[in-house]
Amino acid sequence: MNLDFTNDLLRLAYKEVSPLNSLPIIEDIENNEETKRSFDTISEMKKELDLLKCNPSDASIDFILKYSQKRGLVVS
Amino acid sequence: MRMQVLNDKELVKSYVAGNEFALAELLRRYKSNIYTSIYLFVKNEDQAEDIFQDTFVKIIESLKRGKYYEDGKFLPWAMRIARNLCIDNYRKKRRTPLVATSDEYDIFSILEYHADNGEDKMIKDQARTKVRDLVDQLPEEQREVVILRHYADMSFKEISQMTNVSINTALGRMRYALINLRKMIAEKSVVF
């Protein structure tokens, strides 16, 4: 299994390629099996990494909002 | 005015003018990006919560004092603050100065690992634990790029500027990180 891929594919996966510049890359994905497999691998790994996304506690959010309100009162 | 339709620059301007809802919207937009990145840097939930709060305290102070010049690029600016606080946190704990051997240094070389400290409390979801363990096994410079690109949602250009490497180096590190993660999953037959 060839796991390598180009920087262009990586930038496309992370939406860092302009619409104009993305056209030849997309064309390559559609016409080249190996490129398609590489792009699918990147997409698959992105989904795996998404599983790790998490959020701060509500207590932290409350603390920040209250701090901001107090800070605002001090300024005014 | 609905905060959701404003861009970051407009939200910052509105917040500085005294609209607290603008800060709430910035938090809603970026809390996951910033918190997940901090958590992966320090590998400890309690410390991550503290640093997340400290990050926003610094953000609030900077905005209120008119020290924000990023012109709409709120997240990279906030992430620089968060990353610096992660480094400061480690330095305080270790009470040892960082010795840089070159102009660039790696955050992971100075951050501590707390794998067994409250593990059950930190990670409730088994799949998340597995992914985190895989990310932790990456070489340090690759792991940093994964955190900054995937979780902090910074562009490769912004990452290259923050870490003092070329864009191609940042891209290369991300490429190898994904390749290594794929290999680890295949080798360990990790099923999610």
Side-chain angles (χ1 to χ4, degrees), chain A residues 22-62:
Chain A
S22 68
L23 288 176
I25 307 171
I26 292 170
E27 197 174 322
D28 192 31
I29 292 170
E30 289 172 347
N31 297 321
N32 185 321
E33 271 298 312
E34 195 171 317
T35 308
K36 185 181 183 309
R37 271 198 301 274
S38 295
F39 190 73
D40 288 346
T41 298
I42 298 173
S43 303
E44 181 190 328
M45 295 316 302
K46 282 184 70 188
K47 279 184 189 169
E48 303 287 7
L49 289 171
D50 280 344
L51 291 173
L52 197 46
K53 287 184 177 172
C54 48
N55 283 300
S57 66
D58 290 343
S60 282
I61 300 296
D62 284 347

Side-chain angles (χ1 to χ4, degrees), chain B residues 34-150:
Chain B
I34 296 171
Y35 178 78
T36 306
S37 304
I38 292 170
Y39 171 66
L40 288 171
F41 277 141
V42 300
K43 303 177 183 178
N44 176 286
E45 194 176 26
D46 291 335
Q47 284 183 26
E49 292 282 352
D50 288 345
I51 294 173
F52 179 78
Q53 291 178 15
D54 290 346
T55 298
F56 269 88
V57 165
K58 281 212 164 200
I59 286 170
I60 288 164
E61 290 299 327
S62 296
L63 293 179
K64 294 287 186 186
R65 292 174 183 172
K67 291 182 177 176
Y68 175 73
Y69 308 108
E70 296 293 315
D71 198 26
K73 296 190 175 180
F74 176 81
L75 184 59
W77 174 70
M79 273 310 304
R80 269 199 294 277
I81 293 172
R83 184 175 180 264
N84 287 338
L85 285 173
C86 290
I87 294 170
D88 289 347
N89 175 67
Y90 178 83
R91 286 177 181 163
K92 274 182 197 168
K93 284 194 73 178
R94 284 298 179 118
R95 295 177 188 278
T96 52
L98 172 68
V99 179
T101 54
S102 67
D103 288 340
E104 63 174 285
Y105 61 87
D106 197 314
I107 188 171
F108 298 105
S109 66
I110 61 165
L111 291 176
E112 206 170 18
Y113 187 61
H114 296 277
D116 299 324
N117 186 6
E119 186 81 8
D120 290 341
K121 183 169 70 71
M122 286 193 302
I123 307 295
K124 296 179 180 67
D125 182 75
Q126 194 176 9
R128 269 175 53 192
T129 305
K130 286 176 181 172
V131 177
R132 195 206 65 179
D133 289 346
L134 293 177
V135 172
D136 284 349
Q137 289 176 47
L138 289 172
E140 294 163 358
E141 68 277 6
Q142 291 176 24
R143 200 161 71 89
E144 182 175 40
V145 175
V146 168
I147 293 171
L148 295 175
R149 183 62 195 88
H150 195 85

